[in-house]
Amino acid sequence: MSEKRSEQKKSAAKEHVKMNERQKSLKKVAENRKLVLRTVEKMIDCAVDEKLLIESCKVLSKADFEDLNVERSLTLLCGYPLCSNALTNIASQKYKISLKEHKVFDLTERKLFCSDICFTASKFVKKQLRDEAFWLSDDKSAVIVEIYRQNFGDIGNEVRLSDKLTEEEECKTSVKRTQNRKVSGLYFPYLKENQMEKLKESMSSLTIREKPL
């Protein structure tokens, strides 16, 4: 009887330890989440220096940085944290055609920034950040980002029209094939209606016999 009680106490002690570990883990996740939130909030309504941005990026994910870009733009401040320029003359159109480059650009993300350079600089930083949220990731190693130093930038995200046209053509071709099959009375895989009926009849009269050993 005493052995049974001893085992029960050991089992209860183990469960207590596991529960404490889970609570500590959840607490740590909550703390890391608050850390990321505070880090983003520090850079929303003002320009920051490179040192703070590099330090902040150690805990930011790509999604966090995108949120920061949007939040800054909502205050009519350039989405790039190192920039203090106000957002003015925001383009109303979604796309821009570059006759010089013979390309079409999506301006949706570009509108969050005051210039092509800030837009490109922000993308340059974001590309280096972690994919998974800091509080969910097992990898807590610091991400040390580099800062964009060029004096030129992209006017938007390029829209690859050839890819879109190819997808539309494939879709149209698929629909056309289906329509042609219906018109010609074909069933997949390419059986005519009378052939399908004959196949059904032959299958209904089919007898399977077991071969004697």
Side-chain angles (χ1 to χ4, degrees), residues 125-185:
V125 171
K126 183 178 71 173
K127 189 176 181 180
Q128 302 172 65
L129 301 179
R130 62 180 76 241
D131 294 316
E132 191 176 19
F134 179 72
W135 65 83
L136 295 176
S137 176
D138 294 328
D139 181 13
K140 294 295 189 291
S141 57
V143 177
I144 309 299
V145 300
E146 296 181 4
I147 303 299
Y148 187 75
R149 304 293 183 188
Q150 305 299 324
N151 60 354
F152 58 86
D154 302 324
I155 63 176
N157 292 317
E158 183 183 350
V159 178
R160 298 187 179 277
L161 294 177
S162 58
D163 294 343
K164 289 185 175 294
L165 288 174
T166 301
E167 291 175 2
E168 291 178 1
E169 288 172 358
E170 288 180 355
C171 183
K172 289 179 181 179
T173 302
S174 177
V175 171
K176 190 173 182 180
R177 285 174 181 168
T178 303
Q179 291 173 342
N180 289 339
R181 288 173 191 167
K182 290 181 179 179
V183 171
S184 60

Side-chain angles (χ1 to χ4, degrees), residues 18-180:
K18 288 182 180 179
M19 185 176 294
N20 285 339
E21 289 177 351
R22 284 196 295 268
Q23 289 176 345
K24 288 180 181 179
S25 178
L26 291 173
K27 184 178 179 181
K28 191 64 177 177
V29 168
E31 289 175 352
N32 287 333
R33 192 166 187 174
K34 288 180 180 178
L35 172 62
V36 172
L37 182 60
R38 289 196 301 268
T39 301
V40 171
E41 288 176 343
K42 286 180 182 178
M43 299 185 287
I44 288 179
D45 54 5
C46 63
V48 300
D49 57 31
E50 290 186 8
K51 184 178 179 181
L52 178 57
L53 177 60
I54 293 172
E55 185 66 25
S56 299
C57 285
K58 292 179 180 179
V59 298
L60 296 183
S61 67
K62 290 181 174 65
D64 296 325
F65 200 72
E66 288 176 356
D67 290 342
L68 174 60
N69 297 152
V70 173
E71 291 294 334
R72 286 176 61 88
S73 70
L74 291 176
T75 65
L76 296 181
L77 194 62
C78 177
Y80 186 44
L82 296 184
C83 181
S84 60
N85 291 339
L87 287 180
T88 57
N89 301 322
I90 301 174
S92 58
Q93 71 269 30
K94 184 177 180 181
Y95 299 100
K96 181 175 182 178
I97 300 174
S98 173
L99 299 178
K100 181 180 179 181
E101 299 183 46
H102 303 288
K103 294 179 181 179
V104 177
F105 294 91
D106 188 333
L107 302 180
T108 304
E109 188 178 356
R110 166 63 181 82
K111 294 178 183 180
L112 305 179
F113 305 90
C114 69
S115 66
D116 297 345
I117 295 177
C118 283
F119 168 57
T120 305
S122 182
K123 289 200 302 179
F124 182 78
V125 171
K126 183 178 71 173
K127 189 176 181 180
Q128 302 172 65
L129 301 179
R130 62 180 76 241
D131 294 316
E132 191 176 19
F134 179 72
W135 65 83
L136 295 176
S137 176
D138 294 328
D139 181 13
K140 294 295 189 291
S141 57
V143 177
I144 309 299
V145 300
E146 296 181 4
I147 303 299
Y148 187 75
R149 304 293 183 188
Q150 305 299 324
N151 60 354
F152 58 86
D154 302 324
I155 63 176
N157 292 317
E158 183 183 350
V159 178
R160 298 187 179 277
L161 294 177
S162 58
D163 294 343
K164 289 185 175 294
L165 288 174
T166 301
E167 291 175 2
E168 291 178 1
E169 288 172 358
E170 288 180 355
C171 183
K172 289 179 181 179
T173 302
S174 177
V175 171
K176 190 173 182 180
R177 285 174 181 168
T178 303
Q179 291 173 342
N180 289 339

